[in-house]
Amino acid sequence: MAERYSSFTPGGTAWLLQRVTAVFLIFALAFHFFLLHFVNHAWEIEFAGTQARMQDLGYFITMILFLITATFHGVNGVYNALINQGLTGTPRKVVLAILVLASLALVGQGIWVAIEMRGGLIL
Amino acid sequence: MSQSYNRGLIEDFGRWKEFSAGMWAWIFHKFTGWVLIGYLFTHIAVLSSALAGPEAYTETLQGLEALFVVRLLEVGLLAVAVFHILNGIRLLMVDLGIGLDAQDKSFYLSLLITGAIAVASVPTFMTDVGF
Amino acid sequence: MSTQEQKPEPDTEPEEPESQEAPVEQRAPASPQQRRMQRKASNLAERERQAAEDEAKLEGDTVHLKVFRFDPEVANKQEPRFDDFHVPLERGMTVLDALIYARDEYDSSLTFRHSCRQAICGSDAFFVNGSQRLGCKTQLSELDQPVRVEPLPHQEVVKDLVVDMEHFYDQMHSVEPYMQQEDLPEGDLAEMRQSRENREKIKMSTRCIWCGACMSSCNIAAGDNQYLGPAAINKAYRFAMDEREDEEIKEHRLRIIEQEHGVWRCQTQFSCTEVCPKDIPLTEHIQELKREAVKKNLKFW
């Protein structure tokens, strides 16, 4: 029976996660574009407006989720594109490490900025 | 054993004109994907100006928005995002095994809608910007 | 009315007076057959006349072939080049027919694989006018001239149009393309019966002739040498979906195709599906295996 658990492969999980994040991103990206280009115009953005939006807890959480899923979806896409080109062995491990570090840095920085925009972590 | 001849990259480029809908969809999806992940990193970098205080943030964003090139790139970004979304929906359908026979038509449709939305958004995106 | 009247026949002209004649004379049962024979004879004559006409039209027409030539063992062929052949056209001539003519009449060193000439042996997949096609199944009349014939891309060229298929065969064998059911049904005959529905499900996947066109068209297989490729995954599908094998064997098969370089590499470009000379819906099969693999893993979470 233990063998069955080992049949769970990283390839399949990443594939599924890529699809699941895709479904979320369809809505998140469409919402984001619509809100910040058509409802609020990009050239009118001021810090106060951003802060007002970020102080809505639902919006704040959506944006954090948007950041995390988009980073995963994008970086995993890049990684797969490279594997499809025949990236193997040590270069592949190095690339994976770089991509993971870049993703963590991006998500960390993004969350920090979001908290700053919100004006602290207060609810 | 005789040595054999590997034609390498040349044949790959020679094949481009023979590509069909599914292949073009893949190339566009990949290209738009690279643009979007690249933009995500830039986007967070620009928004990080908020860390330097509210004024810096407002100035940075409005300064960028005053540039015609930035507005033009934004229309491009919208087109890229819309195509990636629409073709992404198409790919999700393919993954679910729905409408595989119409995969070429759905690609052309994605292109058409992307074009229409990009053109329709030009007035909004170009408001109040000089050359 | 007699039965042959129901069959759609383009020229009814010669048989009309005859069919009126038949009931009047109250002929013996032999008459329908006679009528049939007569009709066939006249149809044959018409077809022959048509063929002769077409032949006359083609008379003197040639097809211009540009054929890839390369041979590492011959000094003046070590540098790859294209040779031109002008082959007299015949009605219904295929790319393979033209190549055979060129080899037999012009240059006996022209090398290519072929065997059955009926799209069954899968030996003669070439890169014709920019796409992977079976030489014996491609009519010259469908192609623009000059017809460029090259060896399959993404496989190493051994000589002229002959490519090294070893890697393709390795991938095919790696999915264990044979029945592995050990427990046979009770009874003397021990037949392993398959339901009609299940037969229908795997029908298309059984049609693979190992020609390698799909693998050659696949962009991912070109970049990632470890990728199983469409043909091997289709072969895995043929057995994984066959209900005569037990569930455990199916799981074993799914484990093979769900490796990192298995089904997940497929990017649904549909290139393989488009070039398959046997019209196997390869992309559909690969996608179904992806879903099966995901479902299997979700079950054990």
Side-chain angles (χ1 to χ4, degrees):
Chain A
M1 279 294 131
E3 205 191 22
R4 284 187 166 164
Y5 290 94
S6 69
S7 76
F8 157 87
T9 59
T13 315
W15 183 83
L16 184 61
L17 273 178
Q18 187 76 351
R19 267 78 199 156
V20 173
T21 51
V23 173
F24 175 75
L25 287 170
I26 288 171
F27 296 103
L29 182 58
F31 164 74
H32 187 64
F33 243 101
F34 192 68
L35 184 71
L36 292 163
H37 281 284
F38 294 97
V39 178
N40 300 291
H41 297 299
W43 63 93
E44 289 164 353
I45 283 176
E46 291 175 358
F47 188 78
T50 305
Q51 188 160 47
R53 280 191 294 277
M54 278 297 185
Q55 277 174 350
D56 183 294
L57 186 64
Y59 183 83
F60 178 71
I61 292 172
T62 311
M63 285 301 108
I64 299 287
L65 275 179
F66 183 29
L67 173 67
I68 296 170
T69 48
T71 307
F72 171 81
H73 189 89
V75 172
N76 186 43
V78 168
Y79 180 57
N80 275 293
L82 296 174
I83 292 182
N84 289 341
Q85 292 304 311
L87 184 71
T88 48
T90 316
R92 176 177 152 167
K93 284 187 191 123
V94 173
V95 165
L96 180 63
I98 293 172
L99 287 177
V100 169
L101 287 178
S103 311
L104 290 177
L106 181 70
V107 170
Q109 175 81 4
I111 291 176
W112 181 23
V113 171
I115 291 171
E116 198 67 29
M117 287 170 171
R118 189 173 154 78
L121 254 185
I122 24 108
L123 297 184
Chain B
M1 174 90 188
S2 59
Q3 63 178 118
S4 58
Y5 171 65
N6 188 341
R7 286 160 295 171
L9 268 180
I10 296 158
E11 70 183 6
D12 285 341
F13 288 113
R15 289 175 60 216
W16 279 54
K17 63 179 182 348
E18 307 292 343
F19 281 178
S20 49
M23 186 64 105
W24 280 118
W26 179 76
I27 289 174
F28 284 8
H29 201 75
K30 194 155 134 163
F31 171 74
T32 53
W34 281 99
V35 170
L36 287 171
I37 186 66
Y39 179 74
L40 179 60
F41 277 88
T42 332
H43 196 41
I44 295 296
V46 170
L47 295 185
S48 293
S49 57
L51 299 175
E55 297 78 25
Y57 177 80
T58 309
E59 269 167 36
T60 310
L61 264 75
Q62 295 197 344
L64 283 173
E65 286 294 332
L67 300 174
F68 179 74
V69 195
V70 172
R71 297 291 186 94
L72 204 63
L73 286 174
E74 273 183 334
V75 177
L77 184 70
L78 176 78
V80 159
V82 169
F83 177 80
H84 203 80
I85 288 178
L86 293 174
N87 194 54
I89 294 172
R90 169 182 169 272
L91 289 176
L92 286 171
M93 302 297 266
V94 168
D95 284 332
L96 293 171
I98 301 167
L100 267 74
D101 295 334
Q103 61 91 10
D104 45 350
K105 290 183 205 79
S106 55
F107 165 61
Y108 300 134
L109 189 67
S110 307
L111 277 185
L112 269 178
I113 300 177
T114 304
I117 291 183
V119 170
S121 74
V122 169
T124 318
F125 276 66
M126 290 300 175
T127 318
D128 298 333
V129 69
F131 282 87
Chain C
M1 278 284 145
S2 48
T3 47
Q4 77 265 29
E5 293 283 337
Q6 290 156 11
K7 289 184 205 153
E9 274 299 332
D11 29 30
T12 44
E13 191 109 5
E15 79 181 317
E16 269 203 4
E18 199 195 18
S19 61
Q20 281 167 356
E21 194 177 58
V24 175
E25 291 194 8
Q26 298 286 320
R27 279 212 203 140
S31 85
Q33 192 203 2
Q34 279 170 357
R35 270 182 284 150
R36 242 183 345 260
M37 303 275 277
Q38 206 172 343
R39 191 168 46 89
K40 274 186 180 165
S42 74
N43 282 352
L44 182 67
E46 172 63 18
R47 271 203 306 276
E48 273 168 357
R49 197 183 54 77
Q50 189 70 40
E53 232 169 62
D54 287 353
E55 213 70 62
K57 244 185 274 168
L58 288 174
E59 189 66 51
D61 267 11
T62 57
V63 61
H64 181 190
L65 289 183
K66 283 176 102 69
V67 184
F68 181 91
R69 305 300 302 272
F70 168 73
D71 187 348
E73 287 165 356
V74 175
N76 63 357
K77 273 174 78 186
Q78 276 167 358
E79 196 54 44
R81 60 160 200 262
F82 281 91
D83 276 358
D84 295 279
F85 296 103
H86 296 270
V87 174
L89 257 179
E90 267 171 50
R91 196 156 160 269
M93 201 174 200
T94 64
V95 172
L96 181 65
D97 293 336
L99 285 172
I100 291 174
Y101 188 96
R103 180 197 61 196
D104 292 352
E105 305 291 328
Y106 303 136
D107 183 349
S108 58
S109 74
L110 178 59
T111 312
F112 49 95
R113 290 194 184 102
H114 69 96
S115 178
C116 75
R117 297 188 283 169
Q118 300 180 60
I120 289 299
C121 71
S123 309
D124 64 339
F126 305 124
F127 194 57
V128 183
N129 277 5
S131 120
Q132 288 79 0
R133 304 177 213 245
L134 226 43
C136 58
K137 202 173 170 274
T138 308
Q139 291 284 320
L140 286 169
S141 56
E142 289 170 6
L143 300 170
D144 291 335
Q145 290 205 36
V147 177
R148 256 171 95 97
V149 189
E150 296 167 67
L152 286 182
H154 305 134
Q155 273 137 300
E156 298 216 339
V157 183
V158 180
K159 183 182 176 185
D160 291 349
L161 300 175
V162 175
V163 291
D164 185 357
M165 300 281 282
E166 216 42 57
H167 179 62
F168 175 76
Y169 295 145
D170 284 347
Q171 302 299 63
M172 291 301 270
H173 290 300
S174 70
V175 299
E176 304 177 4
Y178 38 84
M179 203 69 157
Q180 295 186 26
Q181 181 66 12
E182 305 248 310
D183 304 331
L184 297 176
E186 298 292 313
D188 289 342
L189 289 170
E191 286 178 0
M192 289 178 38
R193 296 264 174 92
Q194 186 178 25
S195 73
R196 281 168 189 272
E197 291 75 19
N198 191 232
R199 165 64 200 163
E200 200 57 33
K201 182 168 182 61
I202 64 162
K203 182 175 81 182
M204 295 309 283
S205 65
T206 62
R207 294 190 174 173
C208 179
I209 54 173
W210 297 45
C211 67
C214 54
M215 187 79 153
S216 166
S217 78
C218 177
N219 193 302
I220 306 303
D224 178 3
N225 223 26
Q226 295 175 64
Y227 176 42
L228 288 174
I233 296 175
N234 175 69
K235 197 45 104 178
Y237 176 96
R238 182 252 170 277
F239 287 101
M241 295 299 166
D242 194 320
E243 287 168 357
R244 289 170 296 180
E245 280 188 342
D246 285 342
E247 201 56 29
E248 289 141 47
I249 305 173
K250 179 175 178 177
E251 260 176 46
H252 167 68
R253 293 192 179 282
L254 287 177
R255 270 199 290 279
I256 296 174
I257 55 97
E258 69 172 354
Q259 309 156 59
E260 181 135 42
H261 297 277
V263 285
W264 316 118
R265 296 271 70 77
C266 167
Q267 305 287 302
T268 61
Q269 294 168 341
F270 291 90
S271 315
C272 54
T273 310
E274 262 160 48
V275 300
C276 178
K278 306 306 277 187
D279 295 327
I280 303 171
L282 291 155
T283 311
E284 197 178 324
H285 291 168
I286 299 172
Q287 293 300 87
E288 198 171 338
L289 283 178
K290 282 181 192 168
R291 294 197 296 276
E292 285 289 310
V294 166
K295 268 189 247 164
K296 173 178 73 86
N297 290 329
L298 285 178
K299 250 190 276 177
F300 297 112
W301 268 4

